[in-house]
Amino acid sequence: MGDQISRENIVSRIKKVVVEVLRVEENKLSESSNFQEDLGADSLDIVTMLMSLEDEFKRQISDEEAKSLITIGATADFIMNQIDSPSSKQPQS
């Protein structure tokens, strides 16, 4: 149960990544913030942000999954589902 974290915690960690990658002020971010339309992210910014999110949450995000991650809220929902899914557990080495 070590992966059990709150949605609030996930949103906070996503915002931290967005602030670092897109260089926007955290107080301008909300769950409905669209990465491209509201925050001005280009395709390279999106790739960089997704890689940072993979590192932050120790999860893989496929290209297909990435297409639906257009807002902070959608990204938080995706990560919550990944953490709750038994099939998403990382293999032990």
Side-chain angles (χ1 to χ4, degrees), residues 1 27 34 42 50-52 59 70 72 74-75 77 81 84 89 91 93:
M1 301 294 165
N27 63 2
N34 183 297
D42 62 22
L50 291 173
M51 290 171 55
S52 294
R59 302 281 183 236
I70 60 173
I72 290 173
T75 305
D77 290 341
N81 289 335
D84 289 343
K89 301 294 183 202
S93 55

Side-chain angles (χ1 to χ4, degrees), residues 3-93:
D3 279 345
Q4 203 163 26
I5 57 176
S6 70
R7 190 173 196 285
E8 182 178 307
N9 178 282
I10 290 172
V11 169
S12 175
R13 290 166 65 185
I14 292 170
K15 286 181 177 179
K16 180 179 148 224
V17 168
V18 171
V19 166
E20 288 175 9
V21 174
L22 301 182
R23 302 189 186 282
V24 295
E25 294 179 34
E26 186 169 347
N27 63 2
K28 294 184 177 180
L29 301 177
S30 70
E31 288 200 33
S32 64
S33 295
N34 183 297
F35 298 124
Q36 290 182 303
E37 294 174 11
D38 298 327
L39 305 176
D42 62 22
S43 57
L44 181 59
D45 292 332
I46 298 291
V47 170
T48 302
M49 189 176 60
L50 291 173
M51 290 171 55
S52 294
L53 289 170
E54 287 179 336
D55 288 344
E56 176 71 23
F57 292 100
K58 310 292 185 241
R59 302 281 183 236
Q60 294 287 316
I61 302 172
S62 73
D63 291 344
E64 194 64 34
E65 293 166 334
K67 291 177 184 174
S68 66
L69 306 180
I70 60 173
T71 65
I72 290 173
T75 305
D77 290 341
F78 170 78
I79 291 170
M80 283 291 294
N81 289 335
Q82 286 285 303
I83 290 171
D84 289 343
S85 171
S87 64
S88 71
K89 301 294 183 202
Q90 299 294 313
Q92 301 294 319
S93 55

